[in-house]
Amino acid sequence: MENLVLVRHGQSVWNMENRFTGWTDVDLTEQGKEEARWAGRQLLAEKFEFDIAFTSVLKRAIRTLWIILDEMDLMYLPYEIAWQLNERHYGALQGLNKAEMTLKYGKEQVHLWRRSYDVPPPPLDWDDPRHPRFDPRYKHVDPKLLPACESLKMTLERVLPYWHEKIAPRLQAGQRVLIVAHGNSLRALVKYLDNISDQDIPELNIPTGIPLAYSLDKDLKVISRRYLADEETVRAAAEAVAKQAEAKQQ
Ligand SMILES: O=C(O)[C@H](O)COP(=O)(O)O
């Protein structure tokens, strides 16, 4: 039986509006809540059990976790929330429409911002009211660690220490772990778990609301991984994520 399950939050309001979201704290849409319910029912039907869960400090992920736990009758499960599992910070792109940015900056540039390993989006200005240093949920975080934008590499550099310090020890102790996070914080973790190269990572898109189950050995090496949905469903959902930035016909 798999001992680690990753779930990207259900569709959010800005996913629906096709806006770059990053650290903006938008909620789930009704479709997103239904995706979360579906994920919970799938995990229950396949008799998954968990000892602990982890999520970010953003409500779209937290609410997805709550809904999954409710569907599994596991509302008592302990869980930890961590800014280190937040979505990649999309900097000054946050709030802007992905397709409109493709029209403005071109397909290649937007693809680099969304899917490259080490090209960050344009940063927020230091005094931009959206800068995390003004957000009370990060008041206990060293301001030097709070980003004005993040590449996937920068995201991995804050996800991985949290994985090693807080999550890996649970797995090595034999606990079964559920992580509900975001498209790019999970791309970072999957890059590490699956040993995906910097050159290949742009091809990876993670769909919302479909559990990705891993079996890890005692050294946390991947024995197996699978989505809890048929191959065509996963392919189509991942392709839809990739196409979000396609310029709409004017
Ligand atoms: O932050 C966002 O906009 C989304 O959650 C992920 O966006 P992306 O798929 O364009 O990276």
Side-chain angles (χ1 to χ4, degrees):
M1 194 65 179
E2 288 95 337
N3 50 352
L4 171 68
V5 173
L6 310 180
V7 184
R8 179 180 176 192
H9 60 78
Q11 183 197 59
S12 74
V13 173
W14 279 13
N15 289 157
M16 181 180 68
E17 294 177 2
N18 209 23
R19 296 181 185 282
F20 287 102
T21 314
W23 285 27
T24 313
D25 197 19
V26 294
D27 211 337
L28 297 174
T29 61
E30 285 311 310
Q31 176 183 320
K33 292 172 187 172
E34 182 47 40
E35 289 175 0
R37 284 191 285 270
W38 181 87
R41 289 196 294 268
Q42 288 299 111
L43 290 163
L44 183 65
E46 295 210 27
K47 299 184 176 13
F48 276 82
E49 295 179 352
F50 296 110
D51 300 291
I52 189 158
F54 295 87
T55 191
S56 74
V57 298
L58 299 170
K59 67 178 69 167
R60 58 192 187 270
I62 298 168
R63 196 180 304 283
T64 297
L65 173 62
W66 288 352
I67 291 171
I68 287 173
L69 293 180
D70 194 7
E71 286 294 330
M72 299 183 75
D73 197 16
L74 286 177
M75 291 296 284
Y76 60 85
L77 191 78
Y79 66 91
E80 295 183 12
I81 65 172
W83 70 272
Q84 294 91 332
L85 296 177
N86 274 13
E87 177 57 283
R88 162 252 295 281
H89 196 297
Y90 258 119
L93 293 178
Q94 292 184 173
L96 299 176
N97 181 281
K98 299 179 185 181
E100 288 172 13
M101 291 304 102
T102 295
L103 285 174
K104 182 171 183 181
Y105 294 104
K107 187 176 174 184
E108 281 313 302
Q109 176 61 77
V110 173
H111 186 68
L112 278 173
W113 283 329
R114 293 186 70 207
R115 291 296 175 266
S116 71
Y117 181 53
D118 56 4
V119 174
L124 287 178
D125 291 339
W126 177 250
D127 291 331
D128 188 310
R130 297 172 297 172
H131 194 291
R133 70 194 181 100
F134 298 118
D135 186 328
R137 85 192 71 195
Y138 307 112
K139 64 186 174 189
H140 299 303
V141 180
D142 178 347
K144 289 196 298 296
L145 297 177
L146 295 177
C149 66
E150 288 178 308
S151 63
L152 188 67
K153 181 171 182 287
M154 294 159 74
T155 306
L156 185 62
E157 286 165 354
R158 45 100 167 159
V159 167
L160 218 43
Y162 187 81
W163 163 268
H164 288 305
E165 184 188 334
K166 297 287 188 181
I167 301 173
R170 299 281 190 162
L171 288 160
Q172 283 163 328
Q175 295 192 353
R176 295 145 307 177
V177 172
L178 170 63
I179 300 176
V180 180
H182 301 264
N184 290 294
S185 52
L186 290 177
R187 285 181 71 238
L189 185 53
V190 168
K191 180 180 195 294
Y192 169 72
L193 291 172
D194 292 4
N195 196 25
I196 299 174
S197 70
D198 300 359
Q199 292 68 34
D200 292 342
I201 195 62
E203 299 310 308
L204 179 66
N205 288 280
I206 295 185
T208 53
I210 304 179
L212 175 55
Y214 278 87
S215 179
L216 304 179
D217 69 15
K218 62 181 177 50
D219 299 318
L220 304 191
K221 295 299 176 217
V222 175
I223 298 170
S224 67
R225 75 195 291 276
R226 66 185 173 104
Y227 277 104
L228 303 192
D230 66 85
E231 203 169 309
E232 178 50 28
T233 298
V234 175
R235 189 203 59 74
E239 186 180 45
V241 172
K243 289 185 170 179
Q244 277 176 350
E246 276 187 0
K248 303 295 180 277
Q249 296 313 319
Q250 294 303 313

